[in-house]
Amino acid sequence: MDEGALRTGLRPRQMYFLMFLMTLLTLPIVVGYLWIFISTFSRRTHGLIPVDIEGRPFRGLTLENWSFLWQDPNIWKVTLNSLILALGLTVGVVLISAMAGYALSRIRFPGRKGFLALTLILHAFPSVTLLISIYFVLRWLARIPVVGRGLPLIGGIGYNTLGGVILVMVSLQLPLGIWLMKGFFDQIPWDVERAALIDGASRFLVWRKILLPQIKPGIAALSIFTFIAGWNEFLIPYTYMTQQEKSTIATYINSLLSETAPVNYSQVAAVGLFQLLPVLLFFVFTQEYLLSIFSGGMKGGA
Amino acid sequence: MEVHLEHLTKRWGKVVAVDDLNLEIRSGEFVALLGPSGCGKTTTLLMIAGIYKPTSGYIRFDGRVVNKVPPKDRNVGMVFQSYALYPHMTVYENLTFPLKLKKVPEEEQRRKARRIAEMMGIGHLLDRYPAQLSGGQQQRVALGRALIKEPALLLFDEPLSNLDARLRLTMRAEIKRLQMELGITSIYVTHDQVEAMTLADRIAVMREGRLQAFATPEELYERPRTLFVAGFIGNPPMNFTQVEVIQQDGQYLAVNPDMRLAVDPDRGSRAAGRGRVIMGIRPEHITLARDGEPAHLEAEVYLVEPLGRDDLINARVGKETHLHFLADPALKLRIGDRVRLRVDTSRVQFFDPETEQSLLWS
Ligand SMILES: Nc1ncnc2c1ncn2[C@@H]1O[C@H](COP(=O)(O)OP(=O)(O)O)[C@@H](O)[C@H]1O
Ligand SMILES: [Mg+2]
C-alpha cells in the first residue's frame, strides 16, 4: 500500500487535496451509517440527534430496538441459517471453482474455449430472469426422496429448503469463481507443475500439494467474497423459501417491513446493523486478501 | 540407462517442433542437445520426461518403449532453466518432496537430504524458502532435488542460462564433476555451444526440429558434416567465403576475385571441379605471418573487437572477402593496418552451397 502511494508520483499537497475530495464524496455514506448506529439506540431522532418523546435533544436513549435479540427466537434461527448458507456457499463455490479453474487453465480438452465463453455469458446473465425456471427445477428436486427435503441442517436441496437456496446460489456464483481461479492458476509457471510430475506426483497431488498452496491468497479472497455474498443474499432465499421470518437475516428484515402495520425503522436499523457487524469485522481483518483479487497477485509468495 | 529415440516427432497443430529425431544414447553417457532457440530442444526433453506425448515415434529406456509411461514412473530427474522450486516449501521440503511421494521413511529422508545438501553445498540453507536464495543457490537446490531420488536419467534444460557468467563457469564444472562421479546418463539442453563442448561426451545438434549431427565435440569441430554445424560449433564462428577450387601446376587453389589460396591437396581435390563452393576457415587457424615468413593472404584491418585475452580482428581481403581471426592485443592492430596472414590450409572445410553438406565428410 505504502509503495503504491509513493509510486503515484503526487506531491503531498495534491495528495491531501485528493483525500479531502474523497472524504467529501464518501460523507453521505458515512453519515448514513452513523444515523443507523445512533437511531438503533434511540426512541426517535432529529437528524443525527437522538430525542425523546417530547423532542428534547440527547434524551430517549434506549435498548428497546435491540430487544429482538432476547425476545424473538427467530433471530437466532435466521442467523444460524445465514451462517449455514454463507458457509455452504463458500465451500461449494471454492471447491468447484478451484477444480474447474485448474482444468480450464491446464488441460486442453474439446469444448474448453466454448465452456469459458459460456461461463462468461452466464456471469453477465441477470439471475432475476432465471427465477421462474429455477423455481420449477427446485420443485422437481423436492420430489426426490430424502435428498429433496429430508436432510438435517439444510433441509434438503429442493424448493423451500436452505439447501435448495445454497444450490441455486452456488451455481449463480460459480462462473465468477471459476474465472477467478483460472486466472490464479494461469499465473503459476508450468515448470513448477512439470517438476512435481517428474518428482513423482499424480495430477491430483500436484493440484493439491503444489498449486493450491501457491494460490492461497486467491482462495482466501474468493472465500471472503463468497461468504459475504451468501450472508447478505436476499433475492434467492426470499424467492425460494416461504417463511420470511424464519429464512435468513435479510428476509427477516424484509418481514419487519409490513405493509399494514406501522414500521419501526429504528428496529429495522438495529437488525440491519446486527447483520452488518460480522461483515464489517470480517472485512477489517481480511481486506488485504480482498485487494489481492483485484491486483490478481501473489506478491512475495511464501 | 540407455535411451533410444526412434523417429520421434512432435507437432503442435501445423508447427513441427521435433521432426523424425533418431538418437541412441549409451548408458552413462553425457549428451548435449545443442541448437538455436526454438529448434525443439525443450520439446524433446519433455517428451523424454513424459510430460509431452510424442505425435509419433518411440522413446525406449533400456529397450522398453516408454511412450505411455507417466512421468512419475520413468525414474528421471530434471533441472529446469527457471529452477521450478516449490515456492511454498523450504529447501528441505523441496529436497525431500520426491522421497515423500515414494513414502520413504522419515529417517532415511533426513539422511539422504543431509547427504545431498552436503554434496551441493547447501547444508546451511535447509530452512530457507526459495525466494530467500540467490540464483546459484536455487540452482543447487534444484539439482539436489533432481539427484535425491537417484534417477536413472538426468535431464537438464538450459540450467545455467539464468546465472551470471562467473557462476555459470563454477556450476558447469560442478555438473561435470557430479555426472562423472555418479555416472548417471544425462541429457543436457543448451543453446550455448561452449557449454555443450565442455560438458558433453557427444553433442546432438538440432535445427528446426531436425537432427543435424550427433558426434563427439572433437568430431563436430574437426569434421563438421553440414554448413550449419560448422557455423554453430566453435567460437568465434567459422569464416565462410565463396570460392572455386582449381587445379594448377599440381596445386589446388581456392580462388575468388579477392584471393588465391593454395590449399591442402587432400581437401582441395574433393572440392575441385565443382564450380562455386563454400570454404570455411576457423578464426583460430588464421595467424599473422612473422617477419620473413611467407604469407598466404594480404589483408587490411577492417574492425578490431577486444575480447580481453585476444583481439578479434575482422580483416578485409581484396574488395569484399572478410576473415575473422584472433590477434595478440599487444600488437595493437588498428583499423586500416595492412596485415600478412597465414592459413592452416590443412584444416579448411568445403561445403556444397546448394545442399550445405560437407564435401569432405559424409
Ligand atoms: N506447448 C506448445 N504449444 C505450441 N507450440 C509449442 C509448444 N511448445 C513449444 N512449441 C513450439 O515448438 C517449437 C520448439 O520449441 P522448444 O522445444 O521450446 O524450443 P527450444 O527449447 O529449442 O528453444 C517452437 O516453435 C515453439 O513455438
Ligand atoms: Mg527451451
Side-chain angles (χ1 to χ4, degrees), chain A residues 108 191-192 194-202 205 209-211 213-214 300 302, chain B residues 46 49 52 71-72 76 78 80 82 84 86-89 97-98 101 129 145 149:
Chain A
R108 291 205 186 156
D191 278 356
V192 175
R194 290 173 180 150
L197 285 173
I198 293 170
D199 276 350
S202 64
L205 261 183
K209 295 274 187 203
I210 304 293
L211 299 186
Q214 290 189 59
Chain B
L46 290 176
Y52 289 162
K72 67 187 173 75
V76 302
M78 182 155 172
F80 293 84
S82 60
Y86 312 127
H88 59 292
M89 297 184 189
F97 185 68
L101 293 173
Y129 285 96
R145 187 181 62 183
K149 54 180 176 175

Side-chain angles (χ1 to χ4, degrees), chain A residues 98-132:
Chain A
M99 292 196 282
Y102 172 79
L104 288 166
S105 167
R106 291 303 210 227
I107 304 173
R108 291 205 186 156
F109 51 89
R112 175 177 165 276
K113 280 241 169 79
F115 186 87
L116 276 173
L118 196 69
T119 39
L120 202 61
I121 294 171
L122 275 180
H123 175 56
F125 212 77
S127 50
V128 185
T129 54
L130 295 172
L131 285 182
I132 294 170

Side-chain angles (χ1 to χ4, degrees), chain A residues 2-264:
Chain A
D2 289 340
E3 285 170 9
L6 286 177
R7 262 191 260 111
T8 54
L10 293 175
R11 273 171 282 137
R13 268 225 190 152
Q14 291 170 310
M15 211 57 208
Y16 288 132
F17 177 71
L18 279 180
M19 295 265 202
F20 173 73
L21 208 65
M22 284 194 285
T23 312
L24 211 62
L25 287 173
T26 42
L27 210 55
I29 302 169
V30 174
V31 170
Y33 277 112
L34 209 59
W35 177 83
I36 288 181
F37 183 74
I38 293 169
S39 69
T40 60
F41 293 104
S42 322
R43 282 187 209 290
R44 303 165 64 185
T45 53
H46 274 168
L48 288 178
I49 298 166
V51 297
D52 63 9
I53 316 260
E54 281 107 65
R56 287 176 296 182
F58 301 109
R59 295 283 191 88
L61 293 177
T62 173
L63 281 178
E64 211 171 87
N65 298 318
W66 289 91
S67 65
F68 65 92
L69 287 180
W70 51 87
Q71 279 175 2
D72 186 357
N74 275 341
I75 186 68
W76 297 111
K77 174 159 178 57
V78 297
T79 305
L80 180 68
N81 277 352
S82 284
L83 194 67
I84 295 172
L85 168 59
L87 284 178
L89 180 66
T90 307
V91 171
V93 167
V94 169
L95 207 65
I96 299 174
S97 302
M99 292 196 282
Y102 172 79
L104 288 166
S105 167
R106 291 303 210 227
I107 304 173
R108 291 205 186 156
F109 51 89
R112 175 177 165 276
K113 280 241 169 79
F115 186 87
L116 276 173
L118 196 69
T119 39
L120 202 61
I121 294 171
L122 275 180
H123 175 56
F125 212 77
S127 50
V128 185
T129 54
L130 295 172
L131 285 182
I132 294 170
S133 42
I134 291 175
Y135 167 76
F136 285 108
V137 173
L138 286 181
R139 285 298 293 254
W140 185 81
L141 284 177
R143 292 213 304 270
I144 302 175
V146 187
V147 180
R149 42 193 335 166
L151 294 178
L153 211 59
I154 58 168
I157 58 163
Y159 180 67
N160 199 17
T161 64
L162 196 57
V165 170
I166 295 176
L167 186 69
V168 172
M169 283 207 65
V170 165
S171 39
L172 290 176
Q173 296 275 327
L174 266 183
L176 179 68
I178 289 174
W179 268 89
L180 280 174
M181 283 295 109
K182 177 188 173 292
F184 276 98
F185 281 118
D186 283 346
Q187 289 185 355
I188 303 178
W190 270 101
D191 278 356
V192 175
E193 192 171 349
R194 290 173 180 150
L197 285 173
I198 293 170
D199 276 350
S202 64
R203 202 98 200 214
F204 178 79
L205 261 183
V206 173
W207 176 77
R208 174 74 198 76
K209 295 274 187 203
I210 304 293
L211 299 186
L212 280 196
Q214 290 189 59
I215 58 162
K216 256 195 213 151
I219 290 177
L222 181 61
S223 306
I224 295 160
F225 258 145
T226 316
F227 184 90
I228 292 176
W231 180 262
N232 287 340
E233 178 66 17
F234 169 70
L235 184 64
I236 304 297
Y238 175 71
T239 315
Y240 299 122
M241 293 186 73
T242 45
Q243 284 179 293
Q244 285 197 53
E245 68 282 0
K246 288 185 183 170
S247 305
T248 67
I249 304 185
T251 60
Y252 179 88
I253 294 179
N254 194 56
S255 73
L256 297 177
L257 302 171
S258 155
E259 278 171 18
T260 46
V263 178
N264 179 354

